[in-house]
Amino acid sequence: MSTMRCVVMSTECIRYCFHVNNAERRMSKLSEQEMGQWIAWKRATEAVMAAVVADITAQTGLSAADFSVLTRVVETPQGRIRQQRLSDDLGWERSRLSRQLTRMEARGLLQREGSTANWQVVATADGRGAVRDARRVHAAAVRRSLINAVPSEDADAFWRVVARLGAGNPSP
C-alpha cells in the first residue's frame, strides 16, 4: 500500500504508513557494525585474491585471466574445450574471451582448432607447463594467505559458513 493511497484513505492509515516507511528506511541501511563487517569481508576477500594473483604473476608471468583459462582447459577430460563452453564457464562475454585467447595464442600458451562456428581451445605444451608451475604457486599462496590465517579452533565453523555462502545459502 503506497503512502499516497493511505493519505486518501484515513488519518489512521497515514500513521500506519509513516511507521512502515520509517521501519523500511531503517531496514534498508546497514548499521555501523554491519557496514564494518561488510567492509572487512570485502577487504579480506580482495586481499587474499590479490596476494594469490600477485604470487602467480610474479613467479610464472601468468595473469589471473591466463590462469583461469588455462586451468579450465587442462582440467577437461580431453584437454580441450569448446570456446563457447569456456566463455560460459568463466562467465565472460564472447568478445572478452576471444581477445584473451588471441593474446594467449600469441604467447604460445594455447591454440584454437576447428572453425569459427566450433572453435576448440587446446593448451600447448608451454601452456600446460605454465599452469603446472602456477598451480604450485597457487597452492602455496592460498595456504599462506587464507588457510593458515584461520585459527584451528575457528576453522570448522569458518569453513562451514564459507561453504554455505558459496552454495548460495545465506541462512544459518
Side-chain angles (χ1 to χ4, degrees):
M1 175 178 322
S2 73
T3 305
M4 187 58 92
R5 250 185 20 207
C6 286
V7 170
V8 173
M9 292 173 66
S10 73
T11 306
E12 185 61 34
C13 188
I14 291 171
R15 281 193 286 268
Y16 170 77
C17 286
F18 179 77
H19 172 75
V20 168
N21 287 339
N22 279 342
E24 288 174 357
R25 199 171 298 119
R26 283 191 306 274
M27 294 295 290
S28 66
K29 277 178 63 174
L30 294 175
S31 70
E32 193 172 316
Q33 179 183 4
E34 291 168 330
M35 183 57 79
Q37 292 166 334
W38 172 243
I39 290 169
W41 171 262
K42 287 190 334 178
R43 286 182 179 158
T45 57
E46 290 165 1
V48 169
M49 291 298 291
V52 170
V53 169
D55 282 2
I56 291 171
T57 301
Q59 294 183 41
T60 69
L62 294 179
S63 68
D66 296 336
F67 184 67
S68 293
V69 168
L70 282 172
T71 55
R72 281 175 178 78
V73 173
V74 301
E75 288 171 355
T76 61
Q78 307 82 11
R80 65 179 52 239
I81 188 170
R82 287 188 59 239
Q83 186 169 324
Q84 182 58 51
R85 171 71 191 272
L86 183 57
S87 174
D88 294 342
D89 287 354
L90 293 168
W92 292 1
E93 295 293 325
R94 288 188 339 216
S95 59
R96 176 184 179 191
L97 178 61
S98 182
R99 287 189 300 274
Q100 179 66 35
L101 296 177
T102 298
R103 288 189 295 271
M104 293 175 75
E105 274 183 304
R107 292 170 40 218
L109 297 171
L110 55 78
Q111 59 190 33
R112 286 181 273 195
E113 299 173 348
S115 65
T116 307
N118 191 27
W119 286 120
Q120 296 283 320
V121 181
V122 182
T124 63
D126 287 347
R128 287 189 302 277
V131 81
R132 187 174 41 254
D133 295 343
R135 282 183 169 158
R136 284 192 286 273
V137 175
H138 174 264
V142 168
R143 286 184 189 108
R144 187 189 72 255
S145 301
L146 176 61
I147 294 171
N148 297 341
V150 179
S152 58
E153 63 272 11
D154 299 331
D156 287 342
F158 177 79
W159 293 114
R160 272 195 308 275
V161 171
V162 169
R164 191 178 71 239
L165 293 173
N169 182 12
S171 301

